Structures are given as C-alpha cells and as structure tokens.
mmCIF file of all heavy atoms in Angstrom:
data_model
loop_
_atom_site.group_PDB
_atom_site.id
_atom_site.type_symbol
_atom_site.label_atom_id
_atom_site.label_comp_id
_atom_site.label_asym_id
_atom_site.label_seq_id
_atom_site.Cartn_x
_atom_site.Cartn_y
_atom_site.Cartn_z
ATOM 1 N N ARG M 1 58.718 65.634 1.126
ATOM 2 C CA ARG M 1 57.414 65.214 1.602
ATOM 3 C C ARG M 1 57.398 63.696 1.767
ATOM 4 O O ARG M 1 57.849 62.956 0.892
ATOM 5 C CB ARG M 1 56.336 65.658 0.625
ATOM 6 C CG ARG M 1 54.917 65.458 1.114
ATOM 7 C CD ARG M 1 53.910 66.117 0.178
ATOM 8 N NE ARG M 1 54.124 67.553 0.069
ATOM 9 C CZ ARG M 1 53.336 68.366 -0.607
ATOM 10 N NH1 ARG M 1 52.274 67.902 -1.242
ATOM 11 N NH2 ARG M 1 53.613 69.661 -0.658
ATOM 12 N N GLU M 2 56.874 63.243 2.885
ATOM 13 C CA GLU M 2 56.861 61.823 3.179
ATOM 14 C C GLU M 2 55.461 61.354 3.534
ATOM 15 O O GLU M 2 54.659 62.103 4.097
ATOM 16 C CB GLU M 2 57.823 61.490 4.324
ATOM 17 C CG GLU M 2 57.440 62.118 5.652
ATOM 18 C CD GLU M 2 58.315 61.659 6.807
ATOM 19 O OE1 GLU M 2 59.060 60.677 6.646
ATOM 20 O OE2 GLU M 2 58.245 62.294 7.886
ATOM 21 N N LEU M 3 55.203 60.115 3.217
ATOM 22 C CA LEU M 3 53.928 59.509 3.568
ATOM 23 C C LEU M 3 53.882 59.242 5.060
ATOM 24 O O LEU M 3 54.804 58.644 5.622
ATOM 25 C CB LEU M 3 53.726 58.206 2.796
ATOM 26 C CG LEU M 3 52.478 57.398 3.157
ATOM 27 C CD1 LEU M 3 51.214 58.140 2.734
ATOM 28 C CD2 LEU M 3 52.518 56.021 2.512
ATOM 29 N N VAL M 4 52.804 59.666 5.685
ATOM 30 C CA VAL M 4 52.579 59.407 7.100
ATOM 31 C C VAL M 4 51.657 58.215 7.282
ATOM 32 O O VAL M 4 51.954 57.284 8.039
ATOM 33 C CB VAL M 4 51.997 60.636 7.808
ATOM 34 C CG1 VAL M 4 51.707 60.331 9.277
ATOM 35 C CG2 VAL M 4 52.948 61.819 7.683
ATOM 36 N N ALA M 5 50.527 58.241 6.612
ATOM 37 C CA ALA M 5 49.545 57.178 6.733
ATOM 38 C C ALA M 5 48.615 57.220 5.544
ATOM 39 O O ALA M 5 48.369 58.276 4.970
ATOM 40 C CB ALA M 5 48.745 57.301 8.033
ATOM 41 N N ALA M 6 48.089 56.072 5.185
ATOM 42 C CA ALA M 6 47.136 55.975 4.091
ATOM 43 C C ALA M 6 46.103 54.919 4.428
ATOM 44 O O ALA M 6 46.382 53.979 5.183
ATOM 45 C CB ALA M 6 47.836 55.635 2.779
ATOM 46 N N ILE M 7 44.927 55.075 3.851
ATOM 47 C CA ILE M 7 43.847 54.141 4.119
ATOM 48 C C ILE M 7 43.059 53.887 2.849
ATOM 49 O O ILE M 7 42.726 54.812 2.103
ATOM 50 C CB ILE M 7 42.932 54.664 5.250
ATOM 51 C CG1 ILE M 7 41.858 53.632 5.603
ATOM 52 C CG2 ILE M 7 42.310 56.005 4.879
ATOM 53 C CD1 ILE M 7 41.102 53.966 6.888
ATOM 54 N N THR M 8 42.796 52.631 2.603
ATOM 55 C CA THR M 8 41.902 52.211 1.535
ATOM 56 C C THR M 8 40.634 51.671 2.178
ATOM 57 O O THR M 8 40.396 51.855 3.374
ATOM 58 C CB THR M 8 42.563 51.147 0.649
ATOM 59 O OG1 THR M 8 42.790 49.956 1.417
ATOM 60 C CG2 THR M 8 43.899 51.648 0.108
ATOM 61 N N SER M 9 39.830 50.980 1.401
ATOM 62 C CA SER M 9 38.599 50.434 1.956
ATOM 63 C C SER M 9 38.859 49.338 2.980
ATOM 64 O O SER M 9 38.016 49.089 3.843
ATOM 65 C CB SER M 9 37.714 49.895 0.837
ATOM 66 O OG SER M 9 38.358 48.862 0.120
ATOM 67 N N GLY M 10 40.023 48.695 2.883
ATOM 68 C CA GLY M 10 40.258 47.560 3.747
ATOM 69 C C GLY M 10 41.605 47.477 4.433
ATOM 70 O O GLY M 10 41.878 46.483 5.121
ATOM 71 N N SER M 11 42.433 48.478 4.285
ATOM 72 C CA SER M 11 43.759 48.393 4.876
ATOM 73 C C SER M 11 44.295 49.775 5.198
ATOM 74 O O SER M 11 43.815 50.783 4.671
ATOM 75 C CB SER M 11 44.726 47.659 3.945
ATOM 76 O OG SER M 11 44.931 48.392 2.753
ATOM 77 N N THR M 12 45.292 49.793 6.056
ATOM 78 C CA THR M 12 45.980 51.024 6.413
ATOM 79 C C THR M 12 47.478 50.807 6.337
ATOM 80 O O THR M 12 47.972 49.683 6.492
ATOM 81 C CB THR M 12 45.615 51.496 7.828
ATOM 82 O OG1 THR M 12 45.918 50.456 8.774
ATOM 83 C CG2 THR M 12 44.131 51.827 7.917
ATOM 84 N N ASN M 13 48.194 51.883 6.098
ATOM 85 C CA ASN M 13 49.646 51.866 6.084
ATOM 86 C C ASN M 13 50.150 53.048 6.888
ATOM 87 O O ASN M 13 49.577 54.142 6.822
ATOM 88 C CB ASN M 13 50.190 51.941 4.663
ATOM 89 C CG ASN M 13 49.915 50.696 3.866
ATOM 90 O OD1 ASN M 13 50.204 49.586 4.310
ATOM 91 N ND2 ASN M 13 49.359 50.860 2.671
ATOM 92 N N TYR M 14 51.237 52.833 7.603
ATOM 93 C CA TYR M 14 51.821 53.875 8.427
ATOM 94 C C TYR M 14 53.319 53.924 8.227
ATOM 95 O O TYR M 14 53.967 52.889 8.034
ATOM 96 C CB TYR M 14 51.547 53.637 9.914
ATOM 97 C CG TYR M 14 50.094 53.697 10.308
ATOM 98 C CD1 TYR M 14 49.332 52.545 10.365
ATOM 99 C CD2 TYR M 14 49.503 54.907 10.641
ATOM 100 C CE1 TYR M 14 47.998 52.593 10.736
ATOM 101 C CE2 TYR M 14 48.169 54.963 11.008
ATOM 102 C CZ TYR M 14 47.423 53.800 11.056
ATOM 103 O OH TYR M 14 46.103 53.852 11.426
ATOM 104 N N ALA M 15 53.851 55.117 8.307
ATOM 105 C CA ALA M 15 55.287 55.251 8.390
ATOM 106 C C ALA M 15 55.779 54.653 9.700
ATOM 107 O O ALA M 15 55.089 54.712 10.727
ATOM 108 C CB ALA M 15 55.693 56.719 8.301
ATOM 109 N N ASP M 16 56.964 54.070 9.669
ATOM 110 C CA ASP M 16 57.497 53.447 10.876
ATOM 111 C C ASP M 16 57.587 54.436 12.038
ATOM 112 O O ASP M 16 57.398 54.059 13.200
ATOM 113 C CB ASP M 16 58.873 52.853 10.599
ATOM 114 C CG ASP M 16 58.816 51.615 9.735
ATOM 115 O OD1 ASP M 16 57.743 50.992 9.644
ATOM 116 O OD2 ASP M 16 59.857 51.256 9.147
ATOM 117 N N SER M 17 57.855 55.679 11.733
ATOM 118 C CA SER M 17 58.052 56.672 12.765
ATOM 119 C C SER M 17 56.784 57.014 13.538
ATOM 120 O O SER M 17 56.870 57.603 14.626
ATOM 121 C CB SER M 17 58.638 57.948 12.163
ATOM 122 O OG SER M 17 57.775 58.491 11.184
ATOM 123 N N VAL M 18 55.618 56.660 12.999
ATOM 124 C CA VAL M 18 54.365 57.020 13.663
ATOM 125 C C VAL M 18 53.555 55.812 14.101
ATOM 126 O O VAL M 18 52.506 55.983 14.728
ATOM 127 C CB VAL M 18 53.499 57.924 12.771
ATOM 128 C CG1 VAL M 18 54.290 59.134 12.302
ATOM 129 C CG2 VAL M 18 52.930 57.151 11.587
ATOM 130 N N LYS M 19 54.020 54.629 13.796
ATOM 131 C CA LYS M 19 53.283 53.431 14.184
ATOM 132 C C LYS M 19 53.105 53.373 15.696
ATOM 133 O O LYS M 19 54.034 53.610 16.454
ATOM 134 C CB LYS M 19 54.008 52.181 13.693
ATOM 135 C CG LYS M 19 53.914 51.952 12.204
ATOM 136 C CD LYS M 19 54.650 50.677 11.790
ATOM 137 C CE LYS M 19 54.535 50.436 10.295
ATOM 138 N NZ LYS M 19 55.300 49.240 9.869
ATOM 139 N N GLY M 20 51.897 53.053 16.100
ATOM 140 C CA GLY M 20 51.581 52.986 17.510
ATOM 141 C C GLY M 20 51.168 54.303 18.114
ATOM 142 O O GLY M 20 50.662 54.328 19.243
ATOM 143 N N ARG M 21 51.377 55.398 17.391
ATOM 144 C CA ARG M 21 51.022 56.719 17.905
ATOM 145 C C ARG M 21 49.915 57.379 17.093
ATOM 146 O O ARG M 21 49.092 58.096 17.657
ATOM 147 C CB ARG M 21 52.248 57.632 17.915
ATOM 148 C CG ARG M 21 53.383 57.120 18.789
ATOM 149 C CD ARG M 21 54.495 58.157 18.912
ATOM 150 N NE ARG M 21 55.116 58.455 17.622
ATOM 151 C CZ ARG M 21 55.129 59.658 17.066
ATOM 152 N NH1 ARG M 21 54.567 60.694 17.677
ATOM 153 N NH2 ARG M 21 55.725 59.842 15.889
ATOM 154 N N PHE M 22 49.915 57.164 15.791
ATOM 155 C CA PHE M 22 48.936 57.789 14.907
ATOM 156 C C PHE M 22 47.933 56.753 14.432
ATOM 157 O O PHE M 22 48.266 55.580 14.247
ATOM 158 C CB PHE M 22 49.611 58.402 13.681
ATOM 159 C CG PHE M 22 50.472 59.594 13.959
ATOM 160 C CD1 PHE M 22 50.794 59.982 15.247
ATOM 161 C CD2 PHE M 22 50.969 60.346 12.900
ATOM 162 C CE1 PHE M 22 51.589 61.086 15.492
ATOM 163 C CE2 PHE M 22 51.763 61.455 13.129
ATOM 164 C CZ PHE M 22 52.078 61.826 14.418
ATOM 165 N N THR M 23 46.718 57.204 14.195
ATOM 166 C CA THR M 23 45.671 56.348 13.663
ATOM 167 C C THR M 23 44.932 57.088 12.561
ATOM 168 O O THR M 23 44.449 58.200 12.771
ATOM 169 C CB THR M 23 44.673 55.919 14.746
ATOM 170 O OG1 THR M 23 45.359 55.248 15.808
ATOM 171 C CG2 THR M 23 43.631 54.975 14.154
ATOM 172 N N ILE M 24 44.842 56.465 11.405
ATOM 173 C CA ILE M 24 44.104 57.046 10.302
ATOM 174 C C ILE M 24 42.753 56.359 10.194
ATOM 175 O O ILE M 24 42.633 55.152 10.411
ATOM 176 C CB ILE M 24 44.894 56.935 8.979
ATOM 177 C CG1 ILE M 24 44.208 57.739 7.873
ATOM 178 C CG2 ILE M 24 45.095 55.483 8.567
ATOM 179 C CD1 ILE M 24 45.050 57.871 6.607
ATOM 180 N N SER M 25 41.736 57.131 9.875
ATOM 181 C CA SER M 25 40.397 56.594 9.711
ATOM 182 C C SER M 25 39.663 57.427 8.673
ATOM 183 O O SER M 25 40.107 58.508 8.289
ATOM 184 C CB SER M 25 39.635 56.576 11.037
ATOM 185 O OG SER M 25 39.485 57.886 11.562
ATOM 186 N N ARG M 26 38.530 56.921 8.233
ATOM 187 C CA ARG M 26 37.754 57.638 7.231
ATOM 188 C C ARG M 26 36.271 57.471 7.482
ATOM 189 O O ARG M 26 35.818 56.439 7.995
ATOM 190 C CB ARG M 26 38.108 57.174 5.816
ATOM 191 C CG ARG M 26 37.831 55.704 5.550
ATOM 192 C CD ARG M 26 38.478 55.217 4.268
ATOM 193 N NE ARG M 26 37.817 55.726 3.072
ATOM 194 C CZ ARG M 26 38.192 55.425 1.822
ATOM 195 N NH1 ARG M 26 39.238 54.633 1.621
ATOM 196 N NH2 ARG M 26 37.536 55.927 0.787
ATOM 197 N N ASP M 27 35.525 58.487 7.115
ATOM 198 C CA ASP M 27 34.079 58.474 7.163
ATOM 199 C C ASP M 27 33.611 58.621 5.727
ATOM 200 O O ASP M 27 33.660 59.715 5.157
ATOM 201 C CB ASP M 27 33.547 59.606 8.036
ATOM 202 C CG ASP M 27 32.042 59.553 8.217
ATOM 203 O OD1 ASP M 27 31.337 59.114 7.297
ATOM 204 O OD2 ASP M 27 31.563 59.960 9.289
ATOM 205 N N ASN M 28 33.185 57.536 5.142
ATOM 206 C CA ASN M 28 32.831 57.558 3.730
ATOM 207 C C ASN M 28 31.620 58.442 3.446
ATOM 208 O O ASN M 28 31.555 59.094 2.397
ATOM 209 C CB ASN M 28 32.570 56.136 3.235
ATOM 210 C CG ASN M 28 33.825 55.289 3.214
ATOM 211 O OD1 ASN M 28 34.923 55.785 2.977
ATOM 212 N ND2 ASN M 28 33.674 53.997 3.454
ATOM 213 N N ALA M 29 30.657 58.457 4.355
ATOM 214 C CA ALA M 29 29.479 59.280 4.154
ATOM 215 C C ALA M 29 29.833 60.759 4.110
ATOM 216 O O ALA M 29 29.243 61.526 3.351
ATOM 217 C CB ALA M 29 28.447 59.007 5.241
ATOM 218 N N LYS M 30 30.785 61.157 4.930
ATOM 219 C CA LYS M 30 31.211 62.549 4.972
ATOM 220 C C LYS M 30 32.374 62.839 4.039
ATOM 221 O O LYS M 30 32.800 63.995 3.947
ATOM 222 C CB LYS M 30 31.607 62.935 6.396
ATOM 223 C CG LYS M 30 30.467 62.887 7.395
ATOM 224 C CD LYS M 30 30.937 63.319 8.777
ATOM 225 C CE LYS M 30 29.797 63.320 9.769
ATOM 226 N NZ LYS M 30 30.252 63.739 11.124
ATOM 227 N N LYS M 31 32.877 61.813 3.373
ATOM 228 C CA LYS M 31 34.038 61.963 2.493
ATOM 229 C C LYS M 31 35.177 62.652 3.232
ATOM 230 O O LYS M 31 35.805 63.590 2.729
ATOM 231 C CB LYS M 31 33.669 62.724 1.226
ATOM 232 C CG LYS M 31 32.633 62.016 0.359
ATOM 233 C CD LYS M 31 32.359 62.806 -0.908
ATOM 234 C CE LYS M 31 31.390 62.080 -1.831
ATOM 235 N NZ LYS M 31 30.056 61.927 -1.211
ATOM 236 N N THR M 32 35.446 62.164 4.408
ATOM 237 C CA THR M 32 36.420 62.786 5.282
ATOM 238 C C THR M 32 37.409 61.748 5.803
ATOM 239 O O THR M 32 37.016 60.623 6.141
ATOM 240 C CB THR M 32 35.731 63.474 6.460
ATOM 241 O OG1 THR M 32 34.837 64.479 5.972
ATOM 242 C CG2 THR M 32 36.750 64.123 7.383
ATOM 243 N N VAL M 33 38.657 62.132 5.863
ATOM 244 C CA VAL M 33 39.692 61.304 6.437
ATOM 245 C C VAL M 33 40.258 62.022 7.654
ATOM 246 O O VAL M 33 40.360 63.255 7.673
ATOM 247 C CB VAL M 33 40.802 60.988 5.414
ATOM 248 C CG1 VAL M 33 41.487 62.252 4.923
ATOM 249 C CG2 VAL M 33 41.813 60.007 6.002
ATOM 250 N N TYR M 34 40.598 61.247 8.669
ATOM 251 C CA TYR M 34 41.100 61.789 9.915
ATOM 252 C C TYR M 34 42.472 61.200 10.218
ATOM 253 O O TYR M 34 42.801 60.089 9.802
ATOM 254 C CB TYR M 34 40.166 61.461 11.080
ATOM 255 C CG TYR M 34 38.738 61.888 10.866
ATOM 256 C CD1 TYR M 34 37.799 61.009 10.336
ATOM 257 C CD2 TYR M 34 38.317 63.171 11.199
ATOM 258 C CE1 TYR M 34 36.492 61.395 10.146
ATOM 259 C CE2 TYR M 34 37.007 63.565 11.009
ATOM 260 C CZ TYR M 34 36.099 62.670 10.481
ATOM 261 O OH TYR M 34 34.794 63.056 10.291
ATOM 262 N N LEU M 35 43.235 61.953 10.956
ATOM 263 C CA LEU M 35 44.493 61.459 11.479
ATOM 264 C C LEU M 35 44.561 61.821 12.952
ATOM 265 O O LEU M 35 44.739 62.991 13.297
ATOM 266 C CB LEU M 35 45.690 62.049 10.728
ATOM 267 C CG LEU M 35 47.050 61.491 11.133
ATOM 268 C CD1 LEU M 35 47.166 60.015 10.737
ATOM 269 C CD2 LEU M 35 48.183 62.299 10.506
ATOM 270 N N GLN M 36 44.387 60.823 13.788
ATOM 271 C CA GLN M 36 44.515 61.011 15.225
ATOM 272 C C GLN M 36 45.977 60.848 15.597
ATOM 273 O O GLN M 36 46.560 59.787 15.374
ATOM 274 C CB GLN M 36 43.659 59.997 15.981
ATOM 275 C CG GLN M 36 43.755 60.107 17.496
ATOM 276 C CD GLN M 36 43.179 61.394 18.023
ATOM 277 O OE1 GLN M 36 42.099 61.802 17.632
ATOM 278 N NE2 GLN M 36 43.914 62.055 18.905
ATOM 279 N N MET M 37 46.549 61.875 16.162
ATOM 280 C CA MET M 37 47.965 61.891 16.492
ATOM 281 C C MET M 37 48.117 61.986 18.002
ATOM 282 O O MET M 37 47.738 62.993 18.609
ATOM 283 C CB MET M 37 48.677 63.054 15.802
ATOM 284 C CG MET M 37 48.496 63.075 14.289
ATOM 285 S SD MET M 37 49.452 64.382 13.482
ATOM 286 C CE MET M 37 48.618 65.827 14.149
ATOM 287 N N ASN M 38 48.660 60.952 18.582
ATOM 288 C CA ASN M 38 48.903 60.901 20.010
ATOM 289 C C ASN M 38 50.397 60.831 20.281
ATOM 290 O O ASN M 38 51.188 60.496 19.410
ATOM 291 C CB ASN M 38 48.205 59.691 20.631
ATOM 292 C CG ASN M 38 46.707 59.716 20.485
ATOM 293 O OD1 ASN M 38 46.080 60.781 20.521
ATOM 294 N ND2 ASN M 38 46.104 58.543 20.335
ATOM 295 N N SER M 39 50.749 61.122 21.513
ATOM 296 C CA SER M 39 52.152 61.068 21.934
ATOM 297 C C SER M 39 53.049 61.823 20.966
ATOM 298 O O SER M 39 54.091 61.325 20.534
ATOM 299 C CB SER M 39 52.606 59.613 22.077
ATOM 300 O OG SER M 39 51.801 58.911 23.010
ATOM 301 N N LEU M 40 52.653 63.014 20.645
ATOM 302 C CA LEU M 40 53.385 63.791 19.649
ATOM 303 C C LEU M 40 54.788 64.137 20.127
ATOM 304 O O LEU M 40 55.021 64.376 21.315
ATOM 305 C CB LEU M 40 52.614 65.061 19.315
ATOM 306 C CG LEU M 40 51.416 64.844 18.383
ATOM 307 C CD1 LEU M 40 50.471 66.027 18.434
ATOM 308 C CD2 LEU M 40 51.907 64.611 16.948
ATOM 309 N N LYS M 41 55.684 64.157 19.170
ATOM 310 C CA LYS M 41 57.084 64.457 19.414
ATOM 311 C C LYS M 41 57.491 65.680 18.613
ATOM 312 O O LYS M 41 56.892 65.978 17.586
ATOM 313 C CB LYS M 41 57.963 63.265 19.007
ATOM 314 C CG LYS M 41 57.618 61.954 19.681
ATOM 315 C CD LYS M 41 58.468 60.826 19.121
ATOM 316 C CE LYS M 41 58.127 59.501 19.773
ATOM 317 N NZ LYS M 41 58.945 58.390 19.224
ATOM 318 N N PRO M 42 58.524 66.388 19.041
ATOM 319 C CA PRO M 42 58.975 67.544 18.263
ATOM 320 C C PRO M 42 59.302 67.198 16.816
ATOM 321 O O PRO M 42 59.084 68.037 15.927
ATOM 322 C CB PRO M 42 60.218 68.005 19.023
ATOM 323 C CG PRO M 42 59.955 67.606 20.434
ATOM 324 C CD PRO M 42 59.234 66.285 20.331
ATOM 325 N N GLU M 43 59.798 66.014 16.561
ATOM 326 C CA GLU M 43 60.114 65.625 15.201
ATOM 327 C C GLU M 43 58.887 65.409 14.330
ATOM 328 O O GLU M 43 59.009 65.212 13.121
ATOM 329 C CB GLU M 43 61.001 64.368 15.174
ATOM 330 C CG GLU M 43 60.468 63.227 16.016
ATOM 331 C CD GLU M 43 61.107 63.155 17.388
ATOM 332 O OE1 GLU M 43 61.260 64.218 18.027
ATOM 333 O OE2 GLU M 43 61.464 62.043 17.824
ATOM 334 N N ASP M 44 57.704 65.442 14.922
ATOM 335 C CA ASP M 44 56.474 65.398 14.146
ATOM 336 C C ASP M 44 56.120 66.755 13.559
ATOM 337 O O ASP M 44 55.179 66.850 12.763
ATOM 338 C CB ASP M 44 55.308 64.906 14.998
ATOM 339 C CG ASP M 44 55.476 63.466 15.454
ATOM 340 O OD1 ASP M 44 55.920 62.630 14.638
ATOM 341 O OD2 ASP M 44 55.150 63.177 16.619
ATOM 342 N N THR M 45 56.826 67.784 13.953
ATOM 343 C CA THR M 45 56.547 69.125 13.460
ATOM 344 C C THR M 45 56.725 69.181 11.948
ATOM 345 O O THR M 45 57.779 68.826 11.419
ATOM 346 C CB THR M 45 57.468 70.148 14.129
ATOM 347 O OG1 THR M 45 57.187 70.191 15.537
ATOM 348 C CG2 THR M 45 57.259 71.529 13.541
ATOM 349 N N ALA M 46 55.687 69.614 11.259
ATOM 350 C CA ALA M 46 55.697 69.666 9.806
ATOM 351 C C ALA M 46 54.379 70.252 9.329
ATOM 352 O O ALA M 46 53.444 70.448 10.111
ATOM 353 C CB ALA M 46 55.895 68.269 9.203
ATOM 354 N N VAL M 47 54.321 70.520 8.045
ATOM 355 C CA VAL M 47 53.053 70.803 7.402
ATOM 356 C C VAL M 47 52.481 69.479 6.931
ATOM 357 O O VAL M 47 53.154 68.711 6.238
ATOM 358 C CB VAL M 47 53.210 71.773 6.220
ATOM 359 C CG1 VAL M 47 51.870 71.993 5.531
ATOM 360 C CG2 VAL M 47 53.781 73.103 6.696
ATOM 361 N N TYR M 48 51.263 69.210 7.316
ATOM 362 C CA TYR M 48 50.605 67.965 6.975
ATOM 363 C C TYR M 48 49.628 68.196 5.832
ATOM 364 O O TYR M 48 48.787 69.090 5.889
ATOM 365 C CB TYR M 48 49.874 67.395 8.190
ATOM 366 C CG TYR M 48 50.803 66.760 9.191
ATOM 367 C CD1 TYR M 48 51.668 67.545 9.951
ATOM 368 C CD2 TYR M 48 50.835 65.378 9.364
ATOM 369 C CE1 TYR M 48 52.541 66.959 10.854
ATOM 370 C CE2 TYR M 48 51.700 64.795 10.269
ATOM 371 C CZ TYR M 48 52.553 65.589 11.013
ATOM 372 O OH TYR M 48 53.413 65.000 11.916
#
C-alpha cells in the first residue's frame, strides 16, 4: 500500500507518480475528502 495524496488544514502532499494529474481536497463541513483523478493511466489501477 502506498500513499497517493494527503491533505492537512494548510498543505497537500502527492506521490510523484500522480503529481499534476490528481488533486486532493476536503470539505470540512461535510467531513469529506475528495480525490480528483485526471489523465488516468493503467498503472493507476488499484484499490484506493
């Protein structure tokens, strides 16, 4: 299992393999985190 992306109140981190393609965000009111994945590649296939 590998880290894809993480978000705190003021910063984000991404794996090198997804930088520029994935975006992590959060809605604090809904207690929800999102991962927008664009330009998907076959090597992105996994259980998230």
Side-chain angles (χ1 to χ4, degrees):
R1 189 171 300 185
E2 64 174 347
L3 175 68
V4 177
I7 184 169
T8 65
S9 61
S11 65
T12 57
N13 291 309
Y14 296 94
D16 288 340
S17 60
V18 307
K19 287 181 179 177
R21 300 188 297 120
F22 292 10
T23 303
I24 189 170
S25 61
R26 61 193 288 181
D27 185 328
N28 292 327
K30 296 181 178 180
K31 297 182 177 64
T32 300
V33 61
Y34 306 93
L35 185 67
Q36 179 66 46
M37 305 185 294
N38 298 325
S39 302
L40 283 163
K41 304 175 181 180
E43 51 263 44
D44 295 318
T45 296
V47 177
Y48 284 70

